[in-house]
Amino acid sequence: MRLREFLERFGALDDAAFRASFNHPFLLQEGKLKVEGGGPADRHVFLLRPAASGKVLVGRSPTADVSIPDQQVSSKHAELREQGGRWTIVDVGSTNGTLVDGKKLAPEAPQPLADGVPVRFGPDAAFMFLGAESLLPLVRRMQRRQGSDEGVRSGVLEAETEHSGLQVRRVREAARAAQGTGRVGVAALFLCCDGTDAMRVDAGKPIVIGRSPGHATMILPHSEVSRAHAEVLRSGNSVTVRDLGSANGTFLCGVRVGSTPVELPLGKALTVGPFTLVLQGPPSEAGMTVQVDVAALRGATGDLEATPLADVLQEVEAEQKTGVIEIFGEGVFGRVSFRAGQPCNAKTDEGKSGVAAIKALLLLKRGSFTLKDDVTAVGPRRIEQAFSDILLEDFLGS
């Protein structure tokens, strides 16, 4: 069922009636942020009612109990099994795998499911396993957001609007229009590869990757690397990569790069021979150097000038995203983790943590950010406030 339809059908129930109506758990699809190519909420929610066998089949097939129209999902991908009120999940030999809390399951090996755990079928079909008690507050939050959006569209933004639904972005836009926008310098960027020194990527100064000191500026000594293999070039906050006619090719996220420059996003895996290179912000002086996990480099990047961090965090909350956002500003690197749209932890390389770190990062007007679906990096929740509460406090200056 579409999430929009679910809200229309069951959102009017009071809390007690909602809990009484559902005695089985749900799979709630994660929403996509605008920066990831998403738009209005068009997600799915599945009530998991097991058949007499106690099994719920997940797959691409229209006959599956949980049918996911995604080419990366196998026709018969996984089974959720219930026995005595306890649920497990089993990958039934899918092509692209099943992940629970960021860990890939071995085929035919049952894995217990806990309330609130992220589940992914293939690379893109991301869901949360939720009991009715856990889904209820998310339903109420989505209803508040819907109501607030309708108020904004009709030109109404009352001061007494409940703060968890306040369109902070609209207020911040008005404030910026009235006060002007501060500007800071261009963020420092580095090209990093394990076993070699990080190389700063400066505008107008191409970095040639290759095995020959006479032809390359970033030396990767290996027979699979050509003498002059690839070129990385920066212009402002935009960085591109192109292949220089190498024998074995240059690959960005597994896709071969040609001689025409293509964008090199922050945090994406660039493969040259046996080496993996990553574009990232400055290494931290306080022990926050990014640790690259190639399996967790999926995600999206953006420019803070075009997409303010406040907008991203509001969408993370609205779409119940789980993952990490890394922010690269002028002389500042920060990291914010979140689960089901709620902040878990935040740090900056200036030593700030928690809410203070988020507020410091919200001050950045220029720079870039990378969103990562790295569930394993989320950790326990150490921040009690919601993103919308923190954004409101930041706007009010408290």
Side-chain angles (χ1 to χ4, degrees):
M1 182 185 297
R2 297 284 184 183
L3 179 58
R4 193 185 305 275
E5 180 186 351
F6 182 87
L7 292 175
E8 291 172 355
R9 185 177 299 183
F10 302 110
L13 296 174
D14 62 31
D15 290 4
F18 187 93
R19 294 186 183 98
S21 298
F22 304 108
N23 56 3
H24 293 98
F26 294 82
L27 278 180
L28 174 64
Q29 186 178 18
E30 260 193 15
K32 292 186 73 174
L33 309 186
K34 290 178 183 177
V35 73
E36 298 175 299
D42 198 21
R43 301 146 64 188
H44 286 86
V45 58
F46 298 96
L47 178 61
L48 302 176
R49 289 196 199 87
S53 63
K55 298 177 181 179
V56 175
L57 176 65
V58 179
R60 190 178 71 249
S61 170
T63 61
D65 302 303
V66 175
S67 179
I68 304 173
D70 184 327
Q71 290 301 312
Q72 303 298 317
V73 175
S74 298
S75 295
K76 295 182 178 179
H77 196 105
E79 287 180 351
L80 290 95
R81 301 173 181 175
E82 188 268 341
Q83 186 173 16
R86 295 185 178 182
W87 285 81
T88 57
I89 185 169
V90 180
D91 185 280
V92 293
S94 68
T95 301
N96 294 306
T98 303
L99 291 86
V100 175
D101 210 12
K103 299 176 182 177
K104 189 172 183 178
L105 304 184
E108 305 297 341
Q111 170 69 32
L113 283 174
D115 188 35
V117 71
V119 181
R120 189 181 293 270
F121 306 100
D124 297 318
F127 290 81
M128 296 288 292
F129 177 80
L130 297 164
E133 186 71 29
S134 298
L135 180 64
L136 179 58
L138 300 183
V139 166
R140 297 301 183 227
R141 203 160 70 221
M142 287 183 279
Q143 288 177 308
R144 288 196 297 266
R145 180 177 174 83
Q146 277 189 343
S148 180
D149 284 346
E150 290 171 2
V152 170
R153 283 194 294 271
S154 64
V156 178
L157 184 58
E158 300 179 5
E160 61 268 21
T161 301
E162 186 175 354
H163 62 263
S164 61
L166 179 64
Q167 292 293 297
V168 179
R169 177 174 64 84
R170 305 283 179 143
V171 183
R172 292 175 70 90
E173 285 175 356
R176 284 201 295 268
Q179 301 172 5
T181 303
R183 300 179 68 87
V184 296
V186 177
L189 296 175
F190 291 79
L191 190 61
C192 304
C193 179
D194 286 347
T196 66
D197 292 334
M199 181 166 289
R200 182 171 177 132
V201 185
D202 292 319
K205 296 181 179 179
I207 294 176
V208 176
I209 304 164
R211 76 168 189 269
S212 169
H215 296 79
T217 49
M218 187 172 198
I219 314 301
L220 301 179
H222 195 279
S223 60
E224 294 180 17
V225 179
S226 298
R227 288 182 296 176
H229 196 107
E231 179 189 79
V232 172
L233 181 64
R234 177 175 183 174
S235 177
N237 270 331
S238 174
V239 180
T240 59
V241 60
R242 66 186 181 100
D243 188 85
L244 297 176
S246 67
N248 295 304
T250 303
F251 298 84
L252 180 59
C253 296
V255 178
R256 189 162 188 157
V257 175
S259 58
T260 302
V262 297
E263 182 185 1
L264 176 60
L266 286 165
K268 297 293 185 179
L270 180 67
T271 305
V272 174
F275 300 95
T276 298
L277 299 89
V278 177
L279 183 69
Q280 67 177 51
S284 165
E285 297 177 359
M288 285 191 64
T289 302
V290 177
Q291 299 299 312
V292 177
D293 177 1
V294 176
L297 291 178
R298 301 185 60 82
T301 62
D303 187 294
L304 290 174
E305 198 169 16
T307 309
L309 181 60
D311 290 13
V312 181
L313 297 183
Q314 284 191 99
E315 284 201 67
V316 163
E317 180 176 297
E319 305 297 345
Q320 289 94 52
K321 295 287 285 184
T322 296
V324 173
I325 182 170
E326 293 175 346
I327 302 98
F328 308 88
E330 175 63 15
V332 178
F333 168 68
R335 183 181 178 97
V336 181
S337 63
F338 41 88
R339 184 182 295 274
Q342 296 299 296
C344 290
N345 204 356
K347 291 183 179 180
T348 71
D349 59 357
E350 296 176 325
K352 294 182 179 178
S353 61
V355 173
I358 295 175
K359 290 184 177 180
L361 294 169
L362 287 168
L363 295 174
L364 297 173
K365 305 302 179 186
R366 296 191 67 187
S368 57
F369 62 85
T370 300
L371 281 158
K372 294 184 178 181
D373 296 334
D374 189 358
V375 177
T376 59
V378 174
R381 187 174 182 187
R382 303 185 186 280
I383 300 174
E384 295 300 324
Q385 293 172 270
F387 280 127
S388 51
D389 296 326
I390 297 170
L391 291 169
L392 181 63
E393 285 185 359
D394 178 64
F395 170 71
L396 297 175
S398 57

